[in-house]
Amino acid sequence: MDKLAYLNRFRREVSIVDEISAQVRAAIPDGWTEIFSTQDMQGRIQKMLMIWKENAGAELPETYSFLEQNVKTLDLITYQGRFFVLYGIQMGTGETDYYEGGNPLDCGESELFAGMPEKLKCFYESVHNGFYYFPGKSGIVSMESVTRFGESDWGILDELEEPLQIHLDSTYGFYNNGGGVYIAVDYQDCENDRAVLWYADDDPVYDVRFWNEVDEWLRASFD
């Protein structure tokens, strides 16, 4: 199955952008314009990885190292009037899977930026509006897919063995593994990357470090 046929199994009317027109240029970051104006695939990859290194390399060292060694293709794609970066990554199995990086410009002036830890804000504004497995969207979710804990129905709350140690109304899940596991940040208690590993069907693990957990879960998803 060719790439576009595969992508269109999960999204409608996906197309690969081959030419950076004025309309496309106005809708993507300047760095993307430079990256996708060249047909040199290795050049594209290296320039995109430099953005990762400068803005998230220290926070996601294992993820960055894997991407550096295993990203084989990098395409600008579009569907539903929006633009995304498509990463073709050689997995630990030897097969190629696709991850999607959202457009930072799509974040706009989200209300979630108010109170968001600076390193996390930097990722969304400078790297991607979410970075996740293309078919299931598991990973660092896009801004519009952030789980707002105060608006979610958590049946596990009635079964917790210890008192709840986060404020639901100020807690947001920025990583979702697609199977009921979230890495979440309570804006009222997020100094030093403090976060919670939240399970939909088990007791949470408090006082974890956000980037350490995200790095570990993302890296594991590549195997």
Side-chain angles (χ1 to χ4, degrees):
M1 182 182 299
D2 74 7
K3 185 186 296 185
L4 276 178
Y6 174 80
L7 299 178
N8 278 284
R9 290 174 57 191
F10 306 99
R11 310 281 195 275
R12 292 184 178 179
E13 300 181 353
V14 178
S15 60
I16 295 175
V17 178
D18 294 318
E19 181 179 351
I20 305 299
S21 65
Q23 181 180 9
V24 173
R25 186 187 300 268
I28 62 176
D30 292 342
W32 288 22
T33 297
E34 180 182 354
I35 289 168
F36 293 105
S37 292
T38 176
Q39 298 303 311
D40 173 16
M41 187 60 71
Q42 287 305 310
R44 286 183 181 185
I45 293 169
Q46 291 305 312
K47 288 179 179 178
M48 183 59 77
L49 288 176
M50 185 58 66
I51 293 175
W52 275 83
K53 184 176 182 179
E54 291 176 351
N55 297 284
E59 287 70 44
L60 299 170
E62 295 297 325
T63 298
Y64 172 77
S65 178
F66 189 88
L67 294 177
E68 187 178 37
Q69 298 176 45
N70 294 285
V71 175
K72 303 303 180 184
T73 61
L74 195 74
D75 294 294
L76 182 64
I77 63 172
T78 184
Y79 57 89
Q80 298 177 1
R82 298 169 66 181
F83 296 90
F84 306 83
V85 175
L86 183 75
Y87 293 73
I89 305 174
Q90 186 175 33
M91 300 289 110
T93 60
E95 298 181 354
T96 297
D97 271 339
Y98 294 99
Y99 277 65
E100 183 175 52
N103 184 349
L105 299 186
D106 288 342
C107 293
E109 297 296 327
S110 172
E111 75 279 7
L112 290 177
F113 281 146
M116 180 183 289
E118 284 301 315
K119 292 177 182 177
L120 186 55
K121 184 178 180 181
C122 178
F123 184 89
Y124 278 96
E125 289 189 318
S126 302
V127 185
H128 284 305
N129 177 23
F131 177 75
Y132 41 83
Y133 182 48
F134 186 87
K137 293 190 174 183
S138 55
I140 302 174
V141 299
S142 61
M143 196 69 77
E144 61 267 31
S145 297
V146 169
T147 300
R148 300 167 184 261
F149 273 47
E151 298 175 5
S152 301
D153 183 15
W154 302 107
I156 189 63
L157 292 176
D158 295 328
E159 303 174 15
L160 296 181
E161 295 182 2
E162 299 179 355
L164 187 66
Q165 298 179 30
I166 57 173
H167 306 86
L168 291 178
D169 288 339
S170 58
T171 297
Y172 304 94
F174 290 98
Y175 183 94
N176 181 349
N177 83 330
V181 179
Y182 305 81
I183 304 172
V185 175
D186 181 350
Y187 280 18
Q188 294 190 47
D189 187 14
C190 59
E191 291 187 6
N192 300 316
D193 294 333
R194 181 179 169 90
V196 58
L197 185 60
W198 184 269
Y199 297 91
D201 59 0
D202 203 351
D203 281 13
V205 179
Y206 299 107
D207 200 19
V208 301
R209 294 296 170 261
F210 179 83
W211 292 108
N212 290 351
E213 290 295 328
V214 171
D215 197 26
E216 182 176 336
W217 281 84
L218 261 181
R219 174 61 186 85
S221 75
F222 299 140
D223 290 330

